[in-house]
Amino acid sequence: MQITLCFDFGNTRMKCAVFRNDVLVNEVVMEDDSEQTIRQLIGEYHPDKSILSSVIHHNPVMEDLLKEFTRFHKLDHLSRVPVTTPVGKPETIGADRLALVVAAATLYPGKNNLVIGLGSAITYNYVNKYKEFIGGGISPGMQMRFKSLQAFTAKLPLVKADWNFPLAGYDTRTNILSGVILGMAKEVDGIIDAYEEKYDNFNVLLSGGDAGYFTRHLKKKVTLDPHLIYKGLYAISEFNQ
């Protein structure tokens, strides 16, 4: 039995998935990336392998600890991955996006996939049936939109996300919820439309911490998988071991 820790450090949260062989058995939302926190995870799960996807400036001590106690891999543009990446500047591709497209290519072999990550930013990532990551797009995520309305106006408040709101808002809070969340849902539907005009017969996979707010508002058929990035990290860990 092999235990693998898959660390996903995004702009909003630091998380760790625990795999027993190839089965995800637990998800840990981390309060910080201190030496004590990492040692506790190592002591609790006794991992054989570990992988880190980070888009933030994380504590470098954690890498030293993971190298000491596990077979550690840090995901970056030099990692070996089972997909080809777009020509240009591969070092600018976010580790989280790489993990998402690897998950899609691994879980749906021989299929075209549009992977949409709904987190701090929305990322659109297209990987074809030949395992070629074509590219995609990036736009502001839900929290970024809520915060920008507060930051760039004189009187609008910062609104907390809520799935329960009407189409026509009856006060400032519900107007913002309707505008942001329905606006994002229409954006996602519209981007899928645009890809359908250019590409044929592809799956649409939806993931990310904010995905649950939008599935009920989408007209397009999507597959929701909140653990998609972890599955991609595990596949990359195995590929590099």
Side-chain angles (χ1 to χ4, degrees):
M1 182 180 68
Q2 296 278 317
I3 299 295
T4 304
L5 298 183
C6 297
F7 293 90
D8 170 31
F9 285 11
N11 289 296
T12 305
R13 294 189 299 169
M14 293 179 288
K15 299 169 291 181
C16 176
V18 183
F19 281 82
R20 181 180 296 122
N21 293 335
D22 60 351
V23 178
L24 195 158
V25 295
N26 197 18
E27 179 186 26
V28 180
V29 178
M30 301 165 56
E31 293 185 3
D32 56 46
D33 57 353
S34 66
E35 178 177 349
Q36 179 182 359
T37 296
I38 304 304
R39 285 189 181 275
Q40 285 177 344
L41 285 170
I42 293 172
E44 181 175 356
Y45 294 105
H46 305 288
D48 303 281
K49 294 172 286 186
S50 63
I51 184 170
L52 168 65
S53 165
S54 176
V55 298
I56 63 172
H57 298 294
H58 58 272
N59 183 358
V61 172
M62 73 171 293
E63 293 189 34
D64 296 331
L65 286 171
L66 293 172
K67 288 175 184 176
E68 179 181 354
F69 292 101
T70 74
R71 298 197 298 277
F72 171 69
H73 182 77
K74 181 181 178 182
L75 177 57
D76 60 24
H77 69 285
L78 298 176
S79 298
R80 295 173 59 246
V81 292
V83 297
T84 60
T85 55
V87 176
K89 295 184 177 180
E91 68 274 12
T92 65
I93 301 172
D96 54 338
R97 299 182 72 188
L98 273 179
L100 288 174
V101 297
V102 168
T106 302
L107 296 172
Y108 301 92
K111 302 289 186 180
N112 300 314
N113 295 283
L114 175 62
V115 191
I116 304 173
L118 291 168
S120 298
I122 308 175
T123 65
Y124 301 93
N125 312 280
Y126 190 82
V127 56
N128 67 22
K129 61 185 178 182
Y130 306 110
K131 296 188 176 182
E132 297 170 329
F133 177 22
I134 303 301
I138 303 174
S139 72
M142 182 175 66
Q143 294 299 333
M144 200 178 298
R145 298 183 195 214
F146 284 144
K147 290 177 181 177
S148 68
L149 286 173
Q150 180 198 34
F152 295 107
T153 64
K155 294 184 178 181
L156 290 180
L158 178 61
V159 169
K160 183 178 180 181
D162 189 345
W163 63 269
N164 186 20
F165 59 87
L167 169 63
Y170 51 82
D171 57 13
T172 300
R173 172 182 168 275
T174 52
N175 272 265
I176 291 174
L177 286 170
S178 178
V180 169
I181 295 179
L182 286 183
M184 287 178 65
K186 297 304 179 185
E187 174 192 320
V188 170
D189 276 332
I191 294 294
I192 296 172
D193 276 335
Y195 274 83
E196 287 176 340
E197 292 176 4
K198 186 174 179 64
Y199 302 103
D200 294 325
N201 191 25
F202 57 85
N203 299 317
V204 181
L205 310 178
L206 203 64
S207 193
D210 291 337
Y213 291 100
F214 299 96
T215 49
R216 71 188 67 226
H217 301 296
L218 296 175
K219 291 184 178 180
K220 296 293 184 178
K221 180 182 178 181
V222 301
T223 299
L224 177 63
D225 188 341
H227 298 139
L228 197 63
I229 192 167
Y230 295 141
K231 296 172 183 177
L233 289 175
Y234 179 81
I236 294 170
S237 175
E238 291 295 293
F239 199 71
N240 283 271
Q241 297 289 347

